[in-house]
Amino acid sequence: MDSFSKPTFDPKEHQHLRYNPLRDSWVLVSAHRMKRPWKGQVEKPPEDNIPRHDPHNPLCPGSVRANGQVNPEYDSTFMFDNDFPALQPDAPDPGSDHHPLFQSKAARGVCKVMCFHPRSDITLPLMTPAEIRKVIDKWADLIVELGAEYTWVQIFENKGAMMGCSNPHPHCQVWASNFLPNEAALAERCQRDFLQKHGEPLLVQYARMEAQAQERVVVENEHWLVVVPYWATWPFQTLLLPRRHVLRLPDLTAQERDSLASIMKRLLTKYDNLFEVSFPYSMGWHGAPTGSHLQEDMSHWQLHAHYYPPLLRSATIRKFMVGYEMLANEQRDLTPEQAAEQLRKLGEEHYKMKKTEGDGGMEN
C-alpha cells in the first residue's frame, strides 16, 4: 500500500458502528482498544468454597427466611414470594397528573424467587440436563400462571456478586407486572415494525441467517441456536434462539425443552471454562406479552433469551458501561466474531469436572 492509498477496512482494527434492530440503536465497535494495557480496577475472583448447605442461608432447604417462614426440605426446584418485592398486587393508584413533565401511573404486580437446586455449591452448568429441564418446565408454568393476569412476566437470573447477586444459592427471580417494561416495549415496537416492513419475524430471519453464516455461532443443536449477536454490547454477550417460530416458553414441545436444557448446559459450561471461574452474568427471557395480549396477534414476536456477562479480559477484569456508554453511545472492545470464536473453541467438559476426575468426579 502506498502512502496515498486508503487502508482496507478491517473490523478487528477499525472502529465502526453496528445497528441493533431489537433496540433501534447503534453500538460502537472498537476492537483495537483490546491492545491497550489495563491499569484500572481489578475485581476479586468469585468465591469458590461455597458450602453445599448453609443453615443460615435463607434459600437453603429447611432454613428460616426473613419473614419467619421455614423453607421445605425441597429436592428439586422451589418457588416462594419474594420477601422484599419491588412490585405488589395491591399498591394504590398514584392518580394522574396531566402535566407532561410530571407523569405517573399505577404499577402493580408480584415478585417471586425460584431456587434451581437444593445445593448451594452447584450452578446450572453443573446440574444434569434432567435437572435443568425441571427448571425450564417451572419457567413455562410461571408464564401460564402469572401471564393469565399480568401483561409481562420477566424471568431473570443475576449470577455472581459482580452482577449484584446477594446470595450464591442457584436461583432466579420472576417479576410480573401490569405494564410493559421499557425493554419489552422497545422489543415489541421493533419486532412489529420489522414484520410489517419485511414480511417475516425479525428473529426468525436473523436465526436462519446466522445459522447459514456460522461466523457468530457458539453452540447449536436441532432446535436451538446460540450466537454472539452481530450487535452485541457486552464482551461475551449471547442470544439464545429457537429454530422454529415460537412465541412463549409454554409453547415449547417436550423435545424442544430437552434440547434447551442441553444447549443451556453447553453454553454455560463454555462460559465457565473461558476464564475457569463461575462466570457472572445477567440473563433473562423475552417472549410475547401476556395478559390481554394473549388474545391478540403477536406473530411478530419470537421467543429468545439474552445473556449479558461483564467479564472482558480475565476473571478479574470486567467491562464498565460508564462515561461515553452512559452519556453518548454503547461501545464494545472486541468484535462479536472474535468473542464467538473464543467461546466456540472451548471444550464442553466443565473445568471443575476435569479437576475432580482423579477423585472420582463431583459428588452427587
Side-chain angles (χ1 to χ4, degrees):
M1 183 180 72
D2 60 48
S3 59
F4 297 102
S5 61
K6 292 183 179 180
T8 302
F9 173 74
D10 182 347
K12 299 187 294 294
E13 296 292 339
H14 304 120
Q15 70 269 13
H16 59 285
L17 293 167
R18 296 195 183 190
Y19 181 65
N20 182 346
L22 272 178
R23 304 192 74 254
D24 191 21
S25 63
W26 293 85
V27 179
L28 174 62
V29 181
S30 309
H32 57 281
R33 279 168 54 86
M34 288 296 288
K35 297 176 182 178
R36 65 189 176 119
W38 180 256
K39 296 183 179 180
Q41 179 172 320
V42 176
E43 309 289 336
K44 290 183 179 180
E47 186 180 353
D48 202 32
N49 58 344
I50 298 168
R52 171 187 282 205
H53 181 272
D54 179 358
H56 302 294
N57 185 327
L59 298 188
C60 282
S63 293
V64 181
R65 300 204 309 276
N67 62 1
Q69 292 187 4
V70 179
N71 295 336
E73 295 290 344
Y74 64 93
D75 59 5
S76 181
T77 61
F78 169 55
M79 172 75 61
F80 62 91
D81 292 334
N82 195 315
D83 296 326
F84 303 97
L87 291 163
Q88 297 176 324
D90 53 358
D93 193 324
S96 59
D97 193 317
H98 299 292
H99 194 286
L101 297 180
F102 301 96
Q103 300 184 53
S104 61
K105 61 181 181 179
R108 299 186 182 92
V110 294
C111 298
K112 295 180 178 291
V113 176
M114 173 184 166
C115 296
F116 297 151
H117 198 279
R119 286 175 56 175
S120 292
D121 62 342
I122 202 167
T123 55
L124 281 169
L126 294 170
M127 290 166 56
T128 67
E131 290 171 332
I132 299 173
R133 168 64 192 269
K134 291 179 180 178
V135 172
I136 294 166
D137 286 341
K138 189 61 180 178
W139 283 342
D141 291 345
L142 284 165
I143 297 295
V144 173
E145 174 191 341
L146 299 176
E149 177 179 357
Y150 292 104
T151 300
W152 187 255
V153 182
Q154 183 60 65
I155 297 168
F156 65 97
E157 178 193 5
N158 294 326
K159 182 188 175 203
M162 195 179 294
M163 300 310 291
C165 181
S166 60
N167 193 311
H169 195 90
H171 71 284
C172 71
Q173 297 188 56
V174 185
W175 293 15
S177 62
N178 69 334
F179 59 90
L180 207 57
N182 293 339
E183 291 297 313
L186 194 52
E188 157 69 20
R189 174 175 66 80
C190 291
Q191 290 180 94
R192 185 180 292 275
D193 289 349
F194 189 93
L195 179 64
Q196 291 175 349
K197 292 177 182 177
H198 302 283
E200 185 177 17
L202 188 162
L203 288 176
V204 172
Q205 183 179 123
Y206 178 69
R208 185 178 67 251
M209 296 179 71
E210 286 285 23
Q212 292 171 349
Q214 289 288 305
E215 191 176 13
R216 286 169 292 274
V217 174
V218 177
V219 287
E220 60 183 328
N221 61 23
E222 180 183 357
H223 301 103
W224 297 90
L225 182 76
V226 176
V227 301
V228 177
Y230 178 78
W231 52 80
T233 300
W234 292 94
F236 295 96
Q237 175 180 335
T238 54
L239 181 63
L240 173 56
L241 295 161
R243 290 188 185 271
R244 75 173 178 96
H245 190 196
V246 182
L247 298 186
R248 303 175 182 91
L249 277 167
D251 300 331
L252 296 175
T253 66
Q255 193 173 9
E256 286 170 334
R257 295 183 190 200
D258 285 340
S259 292
L260 176 55
S262 172
I263 207 164
M264 285 175 58
K265 182 175 176 68
R266 293 170 62 196
L267 169 64
L268 299 180
T269 295
K270 284 179 177 288
Y271 268 164
D272 282 8
N273 286 348
L274 181 61
F275 300 129
E276 293 201 348
V277 70
S278 186
F279 208 67
Y281 58 74
S282 284
M283 72 79 62
W285 285 98
H286 280 181
T290 50
S292 62
H293 298 286
L294 291 170
Q295 310 305 320
E296 300 175 4
D297 178 8
M298 305 300 288
S299 58
H300 52 288
W301 268 89
Q302 171 71 325
L303 176 69
H304 59 284
H306 296 283
Y307 285 85
Y308 298 132
L311 294 179
L312 174 61
R313 295 168 182 248
S314 70
T316 58
I317 297 178
R318 63 174 296 175
K319 169 69 177 177
F320 287 92
M321 294 292 182
V322 296
Y324 188 85
E325 290 89 347
M326 294 178 70
L327 297 167
N329 204 105
E330 294 175 340
Q331 183 270 334
R332 64 177 289 116
D333 296 320
L334 77 165
T335 68
E337 295 75 28
Q338 290 173 317
E341 182 180 8
Q342 288 187 50
L343 291 172
R344 186 167 53 243
K345 68 184 182 182
L346 292 167
E348 296 185 9
E349 181 182 10
H350 199 279
Y351 75 93
K352 286 188 175 181
M353 299 302 293
K354 289 183 178 180
K355 290 179 179 179
T356 56
E357 279 178 353
D359 300 322
M362 291 189 69
E363 183 182 356
N364 291 320

